[in-house]
Structure formats: structure tokens, C-alpha cells
Amino acid sequence: LNMFTRNSDRVFLPKFELALIFSVPTCTKLKLQQRSPPSLISLAGGAPNPNTFPFLSASIEVRNGETVTFSEAAMKRALQYSASNGIPELLTWMKSLQKKLHNPPTANYSPENGQMEMCVTTGSQEGLCKVFEMLVNPGDNVLLDAPTYSGTLAALQPLGCNLINVPSDQHGIIPAALKEVLSRWDPLEVHRPGSTAPKILYTIPNGGNPTGASMTAQRKKEVYELAQQYDMLIIEDDPYYFLQFNKPWAPTFLSMDTDGRIIRTDSFSKILSSGLRIGFVTGPKLLVDRVVLHIQASTMHTSTFTQLMVSQLLHSWGQEGFLQHIDRVIEFYRTQRDAMISSADKWLKDVAEWHTPTAGMFLWIKIKGIADTQQLIMERALEKEVLLVPGGVFMINSSDPCPYVRAAFSLSTPEQIDEAFRRLSALIKEAL
Ligand code: PMP
Ligand code: PLP
């Protein structure tokens, strides 16, 4: 951990005005507040006067009949700057959920030993991007199981690192294959200056984008043991965690993190809203604090309005109400998944292969007899009025031929999915 925090010192210099007036470190602010007599007149604030803002109050109807209301006072707070790590009531709620779901061993550690910390981010993409910028230096070897989320590739590639593919299948990273990749390095040498051993491994453990793959508990355990042996951090990007169709949900890397080597990104994009932009980073305090300094120097914080709106709803739901909502979301996606699989069985059996996903919103389809789907989709699919994502965009080298396409079952009706696969089938047969 010290190695990473030292590396990033040069990037994150706290800005004094921001730190003191409205942002983290919260401890500084609290110390100031504790010392302040009630008669104190503060001319120190760098925040604008919300009485000049045009928005007065708000009332937001929730599907279950509840209402989230912003009184004039709440609205003033919602329109104002807030702490870079997130508003306290949302963080408290999320920490308690994280403990219930993952019971991370690191929750009770000391900061030096990897104590768990969380911060709010503007979607998990912001968290991921900032985590990569913190940890990855030019020339570093970074491990991931490609095909992978194109947003991850977009965040990693400009950092000038060397992306190394770890072979995977429908159950995610294959531990024996990871062991083979790592066998180039001597675990005893990884801390020597100049060692080229990878320091981080990135993976999407549930309902992978684009593959739909979900890792089993046993594989996670074996991958974690290899990370221990080679002293790597694991970045667990889990936006489809709440879209696991089968219970019990698989234990997460965070739940097995005895060492403080997991950085987990969670997202509300698939369950509350993608446009509100709310995500969370959970990981060792020393590292999460660095992410917060980076937020302080860039976006300052996730929209206070967004955070208050979400926090009010979560507090009124409680954990039970939240998990009931998740169950309804899962039911929707499971039905959609089933519809897509039955249409695939109906139209694509002879021309394609796939594995039924147990989480997420994607079906990853391998087209038989076509080496690269780029041309098929980009040039001919539109004519047939059907659109899918050609697999190449998820590969480390996007120009490598890829026989796969990604189909999302999130937005179209079962009837539309069926017709789309009928058109896709005709398209493939013409191309062969
Ligand atoms: N530039 C200057 C000179 C500022 O004073 C501030 C805010 N105090 C900012 C940029 C950041 O503004 P914003 O809240 O729009 O990110
Ligand atoms: N990680 C993965 C694997 C994703 O598929 C996505 C969105 O598609 C994200 C991260 C980004 O999610 P967010 O909306 O929380 O930034």
C-alpha cells in the first residue's frame, strides 16, 4: 500500500482552500467546528450564497407511492458544495449495507493494515478511472480478462501500460491460466526495484460486460491466493452484482479480503439510475483517501442533489426495502434473459453459440464460420435493421478479428428480441 501511496504523492496535492472550507479532510473541518464558539462570525467560506439560486424546493414521486421531498432548507443544502468523499448519511448507509452483504474482514483493521474505507463517486466509471490513474504508471504490466468493458480499456490505454490478457471462460478468470501467466515472474522478486511483475489485476466478477461471465466462489478463492502470492491488488468492478439471478449470491472478493488488497467499485447505475451518476469505491483507507484527493482536485464531489435524493430514498426504504427493490429488478432482467435465450434457441442454434448468463444484461454470441463480426455488423446489419455490438471493441487490440457480438436484453421487448434474432439469423446465413 505504501508503494502506491508514495507513487501518487506527486499527483494529488490537496488544494488548501478547498480542503479547509467545504471539502475533506473532514477531520480538519470537524476540528475547526469543535473549536468554534457559537458567536464566531466566519468570513472563511468559499461557497456561494444559495439564496441567489433559482431552485426553491422539490418533490419527487417514487414508483411505490412514496415521495422524496426537498424542503427549502434541504434544497439549499442540495444546491451547495459538499464533502469530496460523499455526504455523511449516504456513506453511513452504504457502509452498513457493505458490511451486511460482504462482511469484509478489513472493516476492523487499522489504516496501515488496510482498514476498509468508502467514498461516493460519480458513477463507478469515475472510481475506476481514478483508481487506475492512482495505481498505474507508464510501462506497468496490468492483468485483465479480455474481452472486457470498453470503458475500462478507454481508462487504461492512455496510461501507457501493457495490458496482459488472462484467459477466461463463462466462469471468468481461469485460475490455472492466471498461474501460467504469472509464472514468468518469481514471487520472491516482486518487491525488488525494477521488477516488471504486475501489481494489479482487474476483473468484472458478475455478469461480465460483454461476456456475461460470472466467477464461482472457488475461482475467486484461487485467484485471491495467487494475488497474495504475487502481492497484487485486485480491482473488483462489480456493477452487475445486484443483477445476479440465482441466490445465494456468490461471495465477493471483498468478502474474502483478509489482507486489504481488494478495491471494489459498486454502481447504482443498473438499479436506481444510470443518469444520476452514483457509484462507490470500497477499499483500503490509504488508497480510498487518495481517490478522494483526486476527486477534490477534479469534480470536487458527486452532485449533492443526487446524493441527497438517493440517500433520502435509501433511508426511507431501509436495507429491507432496498433489497425488495433489487428483487423486482432481478425478476425483470431474469424474464428478459429467458426471452432472449428462447429466441436464440429458436433462430440462432445452427449459426451461433453462447452460454446462458446468470447475471447482468448481456448475451455474448459467437457466430460460427465468421472470423470477424466488425464488417457484418457495421456494414450489413443496418440494412437488415438489426444492431448489435461487434466484439472487437472489447478486445485489448480492437483490430484483432473477433467472431463475437454482444446483445443486450435490457431495453427491448421479448417480441423485439425475437424479431432481431430472426433478422440476425438471416444476415448470418447470407454472409456465409
Ligand atoms: N475556478 C475558480 C477560480 C474557483 O474559485 C472555483 C470554485 N470556487 C472553481 C474553479 C471550481 O468551480 P466549480 O464549482 O464550477 O467546479
Ligand atoms: N463497469 C462495467 C463493467 C460496466 O459495464 C459499466 C457500465 O456499463 C461501468 C463500469 C460504468 O458504470 P457507471 O454507470 O456506474 O459509471
Side-chain angles (χ1 to χ4, degrees):
L1 293 185
N2 282 331
M3 174 172 68
F4 288 115
T5 51
R6 243 197 341 266
N7 276 350
S8 47
D9 268 338
R10 64 177 194 274
V11 187
F12 306 122
L13 295 172
K15 202 168 153 190
F16 179 73
E17 192 208 7
L18 299 185
L20 191 65
I21 304 311
F22 47 72
S23 197
V24 283
T26 315
C27 53
T28 319
K29 214 169 109 187
L30 286 179
K31 265 185 233 147
L32 277 175
Q33 279 168 0
Q34 278 159 11
R35 273 196 251 124
S36 317
S39 52
L40 177 94
I41 299 171
S42 170
L43 302 180
N49 192 316
N51 293 327
T52 65
F53 296 156
F55 308 101
L56 196 60
S57 63
S59 159
I60 296 149
E61 285 173 45
V62 181
R63 279 185 199 278
N64 65 1
E66 281 176 56
T67 312
V68 172
T69 51
F70 285 79
S71 64
E72 286 185 33
M75 198 61 170
K76 280 181 190 165
R77 188 179 162 215
L79 297 176
Q80 191 53 278
Y81 286 126
S82 57
S84 290
N85 57 336
I87 63 168
E89 61 265 48
L90 178 58
L91 275 173
T92 310
W93 201 94
M94 278 308 295
K95 283 182 185 173
S96 145
L97 181 73
Q98 232 43 350
K99 278 190 195 157
K100 179 191 161 78
L101 296 175
H102 313 288
N103 194 20
T106 47
N108 302 317
Y109 289 7
S110 66
E112 298 70 33
N113 292 331
Q115 180 189 59
M116 186 192 102
E117 184 54 281
M118 288 189 79
C119 72
V120 179
T121 54
T122 303
S124 61
Q125 177 78 28
E126 184 197 20
L128 284 171
C129 188
K130 285 179 160 55
V131 164
F132 294 142
E133 288 181 343
M134 167 174 69
L135 299 178
V136 178
N137 290 312
D140 279 2
N141 286 317
V142 171
L143 299 178
L144 48 75
D145 48 331
T148 194
Y149 171 49
S150 44
T152 294
L153 296 171
L156 277 169
Q157 272 159 346
L159 301 178
C161 55
N162 179 29
L163 299 179
I164 299 180
N165 184 27
V166 183
S168 61
D169 59 20
Q170 72 271 28
H171 305 298
I173 291 177
I174 301 165
L178 173 60
K179 197 172 177 181
E180 169 67 27
V181 169
L182 285 168
S183 68
R184 293 183 222 175
W185 293 279
D186 178 349
L188 300 175
E189 295 281 322
V190 297
H191 288 297
R192 294 269 165 86
S195 164
T196 58
K199 289 179 243 151
I200 64 170
L201 166 73
Y202 166 90
T203 194
I204 308 166
N206 293 297
N209 182 359
T211 61
S214 294
M215 252 179 128
T216 58
Q218 178 58 29
R219 284 206 182 175
K220 281 184 199 158
K221 197 169 153 279
E222 288 175 40
V223 167
Y224 190 85
E225 282 165 11
L226 285 164
Q228 288 182 309
Q229 209 185 333
Y230 284 85
D231 203 10
M232 292 187 295
L233 296 178
I234 297 175
I235 299 169
E236 178 176 46
D237 176 17
D238 209 355
Y240 307 103
Y241 173 77
F242 294 111
L243 301 191
Q244 294 182 69
F245 307 137
N246 303 330
K247 294 247 172 86
W249 290 343
T252 56
F253 278 114
L254 185 67
S255 74
M256 32 184 101
D257 189 17
T258 46
D259 306 347
R261 62 177 71 252
I262 301 300
I263 302 182
R264 179 180 165 82
T265 52
D266 279 284
S267 175
F268 277 173
S269 286
K270 278 76 192 181
I271 50 175
L272 295 186
S273 159
S274 40
L276 283 177
R277 312 299 303 128
I278 285 237
F280 303 87
V281 174
T282 307
K285 181 170 166 50
L286 285 176
L287 297 179
V288 173
D289 285 354
R290 295 276 147 174
V291 170
V292 173
L293 287 175
H294 192 174
I295 293 171
Q296 194 175 306
S298 54
T299 55
M300 293 199 192
H301 56 76
T302 296
S303 155
T304 319
F305 184 90
T306 291
Q307 291 189 63
L308 268 176
M309 177 175 152
V310 167
S311 174
Q312 277 196 49
L313 182 66
L314 295 177
H315 280 275
S316 98
W317 272 352
Q319 279 182 0
E320 207 181 316
F322 173 76
L323 293 171
Q324 280 164 7
H325 167 72
I326 299 298
D327 282 341
R328 288 190 292 272
V329 179
I330 290 174
E331 233 11 81
F332 171 80
Y333 282 103
R334 190 212 315 277
T335 309
Q336 290 284 106
R337 187 267 322 254
D338 291 347
M340 183 168 272
I341 294 297
S342 74
S343 291
D345 284 340
K346 183 166 144 198
W347 296 110
L348 303 176
K349 265 228 156 97
D350 303 336
V351 289
E353 291 168 359
W354 58 87
H355 293 285
T356 301
T358 57
M361 42 193 236
F362 301 117
L363 184 65
W364 185 233
I365 304 170
K366 183 178 183 183
I367 315 252
K368 291 186 205 166
I370 290 187
D372 188 21
T373 52
Q374 174 75 14
Q375 218 187 359
L376 181 80
I377 298 301
M378 298 322 274
E379 287 170 24
R380 322 225 339 234
L382 273 185
E383 277 168 39
K384 284 263 186 279
E385 299 192 294
V386 55
L387 193 59
L388 297 103
V389 185
V393 304
F394 306 103
M395 311 305 279
I396 292 175
N397 185 349
S398 62
S399 56
D400 282 353
C402 177
Y404 287 85
V405 291
R406 189 192 76 181
F409 48 83
S410 49
L411 277 179
S412 310
T413 63
E415 295 71 33
Q416 289 170 323
I417 290 173
D418 197 63
E419 175 58 17
F421 279 181
R422 189 191 65 77
R423 294 177 192 176
L424 177 65
S425 161
L427 175 73
I428 297 167
K429 282 176 183 154
E430 267 175 38
L432 283 175

